[in-house]
């Protein structure tokens, strides 16, 4: 059996096809080639069109099929990974009611903060493991308050991956993992949170049927199967948010294991067997892909909104569209510390680890006679690495003390300079792997149809290499200077 994985990212769609016997990847494609736009009608807003997601998913699958590297009719299951926390609303005809308010949109921060106080901080943290903050529940409340005519038409509320599953199969369902990332789930009662629904005035029937992460979420419809040259009736057997899925792809499933990712946003994601939470909700806790009532597996997630997006902005605005490899080469010629240039990479919405503040991105100590674009290229990557370190220290405060971090060799982790800065700033070795999100989604699909279990799904997964800290003291001095600048903005 072949397994097809879809990774619905902020920037693009990736699709991979793997052989279930060898777990080897036969094909990976991206669509579109250029990065997808984020619609920002007002400062702090961020939306995307679910219909454009769906069109891009179809085009990515068609592109993969056209590679000639596999027989599309041999695909036996589909898995979906998706950008977390996005709000998708459909009516009874399964038509989208408005653009998706995506993960980095900040408009609902104050709504979430008020709910945190009204419901009670202790109740939110012990039952939801999070403040309602800027998550999906608060975004839905914003729609209710500001677009009541749309709210009245809602048939079902979904996360982005649930929408793609609906378009493939015509069926609408959701998982505990997805509900928890939206801050709709009560972990102590194992049900939709009555406190959240009552506070915001959400009717329970707008939430889809709840299914496990690894299960039959619906069968590919005949119409879509013909359009995509796939077999009618194959199951969508896995759906998960991109960060739990990234952890799955790196075999991060047991308590104490930790993964990292440096895409548009940056994430460190550790697994705990406790219903753990941060008192200030700077890091967040969600049900992991292998969570169950009997076996608690909680994903403890640090998210930094402004990481890879700053590197992209630098390429587009300062580097005149240079290839990332060229930027990395120029940056590598600059000494550690970028001759005093310090950059805070926070320009993509409210940052949870900064107590939901949106401080913007900042360039400090620019010397017009000294600093070149290469200094900026390096300072950007160092600033992103220091943001990871700042967040990792918060995780350490909450009992997550990794001795090893696993990461896919992609996005920021494809830069040798960034890897050096990350490893030395954080003081933790990194193992690099070739797996990435769409491959993880394909593996998840295989688990969902019983081709393999979570225990043997990664029998052939081997690290490309391990990078140990070697210049930690040098980076520590620079990090402390960077931290002082950050604290001045908080």
């Amino acid at each position: 059996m072949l397994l097809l994985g879809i990774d619905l990212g902020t920037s693009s769609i990736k699709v991979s096809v793997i052989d279930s016997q060898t777990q080897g990847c036969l094909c990976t494609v991206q669509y579109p080639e250029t990065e997808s736009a984020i619609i920002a009608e007002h400062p702090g807003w961020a939306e995307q069109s679910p219909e454009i997601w769906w069109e891009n998913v179809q085009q990515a699958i068609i592109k993969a099929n056209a590679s000639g590297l596999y027989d599309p009719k041999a695909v036996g299951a589909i898995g979906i990974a998706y950008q977390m926390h996005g709000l998708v609303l459909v009516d009874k005809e399964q038509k989208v009611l408005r653009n998706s308010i995506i993960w980095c949109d900040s408009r609902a921060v104050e709504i979430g903060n008020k709910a945190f106080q009204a419901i009670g901080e202790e109740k939110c943290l012990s039952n939801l493991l999070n403040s309602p903050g800027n998550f999906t529940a608060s975004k839905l409340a914003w729609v209710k308050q500001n677009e009541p005519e749309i709210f009245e038409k809602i048939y079902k509320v979904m996360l982005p991956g649930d929408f793609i599953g609906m378009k493939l199969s015509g069926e609408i369902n959701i998982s505990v993992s997805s509900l928890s990332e939206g801050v709709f789930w009560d972990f102590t009662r194992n049900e939709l949170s009555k406190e959240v629904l009552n506070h915001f005035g959400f009717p329970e029937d707008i939430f889809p049927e709840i299914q496990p992460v690894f299960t039959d979420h619906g069968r590919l419809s005949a119409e879509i199967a013909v359009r995509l040259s796939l077999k009618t009736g194959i199951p969508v057997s896995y759906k998960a948010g991109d960060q739990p899925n990234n952890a799955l792809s790196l075999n991060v499933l047991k308590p104490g294991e930790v993964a990292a990712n440096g895409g548009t946003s940056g994430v460190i994601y550790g697994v705990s067997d406790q219903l753990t939470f941060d008192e200030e909700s700077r890091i967040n806790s969600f049900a992991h892909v292998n969570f169950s009532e009997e076996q608690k597996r909680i994903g403890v997630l640090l998210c930094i909104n402004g990481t890879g997006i700053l590197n992209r902005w630098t390429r587009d605005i300062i580097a005149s569209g240079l290839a990332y490899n060229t930027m990395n080469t120029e940056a590598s010629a600059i000494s550690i510390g970028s001759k005093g240039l310090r950059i805070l990479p926070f320009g993509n919405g409210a940052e949870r680890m900064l107590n939901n503040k949106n401080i913007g991105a900042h360039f400090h100590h620019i010397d017009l006679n000294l600093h070149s674009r290469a200094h900026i290229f390096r300072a950007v990557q160092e600033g992103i690495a220091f943001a990871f370190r700042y967040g990792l220290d918060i995780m350490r405060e909450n009992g997550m003390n990794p001795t090893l971090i696993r990461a896919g060799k992609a996005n920021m982790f494809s830069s040798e300079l960034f890897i050096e800065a990350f490893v030395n700033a954080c003081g933790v070795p990194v193992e690099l792997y070739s797996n990435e999100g769409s491959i993880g989604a394909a593996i998840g699909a295989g688990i969902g149809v019983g081709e393999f279990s979570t225990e043997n799904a990664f029998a052939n997964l081997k690290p490309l290499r391990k990078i140990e800290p070697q210049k930690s003291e040098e980076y520590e001095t620079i990090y402390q200077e960077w931290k002082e600048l950050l604290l001045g903005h908080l």
Side-chain angles (χ1 to χ4, degrees):
M1 181 189 292
L2 302 186
L3 304 165
L4 187 148
I6 300 165
D7 184 8
L8 166 55
T10 311
S11 301
S12 66
I13 308 296
K14 288 186 179 177
V15 164
S16 290
V17 176
I18 69 169
D19 184 322
S20 65
Q21 268 197 315
T22 65
Q23 296 154 20
C25 182
L26 304 178
C27 175
T28 296
V29 302
Q30 174 181 314
Y31 189 90
E33 298 300 328
T34 56
E35 297 185 21
S36 298
I38 293 176
I39 302 163
E41 294 182 358
H42 301 281
W45 287 27
E47 299 184 355
Q48 289 184 324
S49 164
E51 293 295 353
I52 291 178
W53 292 341
W54 171 233
E55 179 60 29
N56 289 344
V57 165
Q58 293 176 87
Q59 292 303 319
I61 294 172
I62 291 167
K63 181 180 178 181
N65 291 344
S67 70
L69 297 172
Y70 63 92
D71 177 6
K73 297 297 185 185
V75 171
I78 299 172
I80 303 169
Y82 60 89
Q83 49 172 293
M84 296 174 71
H85 315 303
L87 174 69
V88 182
L89 307 173
V90 298
D91 65 16
K92 290 183 178 179
E93 283 70 49
Q94 299 189 354
K95 292 180 180 178
V96 176
L97 291 170
R98 68 171 332 278
N99 283 336
S100 173
I101 304 176
I102 66 170
W103 57 277
C104 55
D105 186 288
S106 301
R107 76 186 73 179
V109 168
E110 190 56 33
I111 291 173
N113 290 342
K114 288 179 179 178
F116 193 37
Q117 298 302 318
I119 296 171
E121 295 185 12
E122 184 179 345
K123 175 74 73 173
C124 286
L125 294 175
S126 61
N127 289 37
L128 308 174
L129 308 186
N130 300 286
S131 159
N134 194 35
F135 294 111
T136 319
S138 299
K139 292 167 182 169
L140 179 59
W142 184 93
V143 173
K144 184 172 184 285
Q145 290 180 21
N146 294 276
E147 300 171 345
E149 71 287 354
I150 289 177
F151 188 85
E152 289 300 316
K153 296 177 183 176
I154 294 172
Y155 172 59
K156 295 298 177 188
V157 172
M158 291 180 282
L159 280 293
D162 305 316
F163 171 76
I164 298 302
M166 180 197 79
K167 297 298 285 187
L168 289 166
S169 69
E171 298 186 31
I172 304 177
N173 46 59
I174 200 165
S175 69
V176 169
S177 184
S178 294
L179 289 166
S180 74
E181 72 173 79
V183 192
F184 295 111
W185 191 252
D186 186 324
F187 282 92
T188 60
R189 299 185 185 127
N190 291 303
E191 64 182 17
L192 283 166
S193 170
K194 290 182 172 62
E195 285 80 9
V196 169
L197 270 59
N198 290 340
H199 173 77
F200 289 129
F202 299 153
E204 190 167 338
D205 63 3
I206 65 173
F207 295 92
E209 176 188 357
I210 300 171
Q211 304 253 60
V213 168
F214 303 104
T215 196
D216 187 336
H217 294 277
R219 300 278 170 154
L220 189 65
S221 70
E223 177 190 353
I224 301 303
V226 169
R227 192 181 305 170
L228 301 179
S229 302
L230 301 174
K231 288 189 301 185
T232 299
I234 61 175
V236 176
S237 54
Y238 169 80
K239 293 186 300 186
D242 52 7
Q243 301 309 327
N245 177 74
N246 181 62
L248 171 75
S249 74
L250 297 168
N251 195 22
V252 171
L253 294 165
K254 298 175 184 175
E257 295 179 334
V258 178
N261 179 40
T264 302
S265 63
V267 167
I268 299 179
Y269 186 101
V271 179
S272 173
D273 57 2
Q274 305 295 316
L275 295 181
T276 185
F277 56 85
D278 175 46
E279 292 285 352
E280 298 181 47
S281 207
R282 297 164 297 174
I283 56 176
N284 302 106
S285 300
F286 308 118
H288 195 26
V289 294
N290 57 343
F291 173 89
S292 67
E293 289 185 39
E294 299 76 27
Q295 180 177 273
K296 302 291 191 290
R297 292 293 179 265
I298 300 296
V300 182
L301 185 151
L302 159 76
C303 180
I304 309 161
N305 291 356
T307 55
I309 193 171
L310 174 62
N311 207 38
R312 186 197 73 187
W313 181 91
T314 303
R315 183 199 64 182
D316 294 347
I317 304 300
I318 297 173
S320 301
L322 282 182
Y324 288 121
N325 285 342
T326 304
M327 292 170 61
N328 295 340
T329 299
E330 290 190 22
S332 297
I334 304 300
S335 59
I336 295 171
S338 309
K339 293 291 184 181
L341 182 59
R342 303 286 179 262
I343 296 178
L344 306 179
F346 306 112
N348 191 30
E351 294 284 356
R352 293 198 287 280
M353 75 170 187
L354 305 181
N355 298 109
N356 271 330
K357 293 179 181 176
N358 186 353
I359 67 168
H362 296 267
F363 287 48
H364 284 274
H365 308 322
I366 294 177
D367 186 323
L368 301 179
N369 298 308
L370 173 64
H371 292 131
S372 65
R373 70 180 189 180
H375 290 91
I376 295 174
F377 298 163
R378 182 173 191 111
V380 162
Q381 297 200 35
E382 289 180 340
I384 294 168
F386 294 149
F388 271 104
R389 161 65 188 280
Y390 185 85
L392 181 58
D393 284 349
I394 295 172
M395 296 184 80
R396 286 166 169 150
E397 288 176 28
N398 285 274
M400 187 67 64
N401 293 287
T403 56
L404 177 72
I405 295 175
R406 299 174 189 168
K409 187 175 172 59
N411 302 313
M412 295 305 303
F413 283 96
S414 62
S415 163
E416 291 296 318
L417 187 157
F418 174 75
I419 294 167
E420 175 193 294
F422 178 92
V423 166
N424 287 285
C426 295
V428 181
V430 167
E431 279 186 350
L432 286 181
Y433 293 81
S434 60
N435 272 12
E436 49 84 39
S438 57
I439 295 175
I443 292 170
I447 297 171
V449 292
E451 280 293 291
F452 27 73
S453 67
T454 53
E455 286 73 27
N456 63 21
F458 301 95
N460 299 323
L461 182 66
K462 307 295 181 188
L464 299 172
R465 62 191 180 104
K466 183 177 181 181
I467 304 94
E468 299 276 357
Q470 295 181 333
K471 303 173 184 177
S472 291
E473 289 186 14
E474 198 170 351
Y475 276 94
E476 180 67 20
T477 300
I478 301 164
Y479 168 70
Q480 293 300 333
E481 295 173 5
W482 179 95
K483 182 179 176 182
E484 283 301 310
L485 293 169
L486 171 60
L487 294 177
H489 290 279
L490 296 179

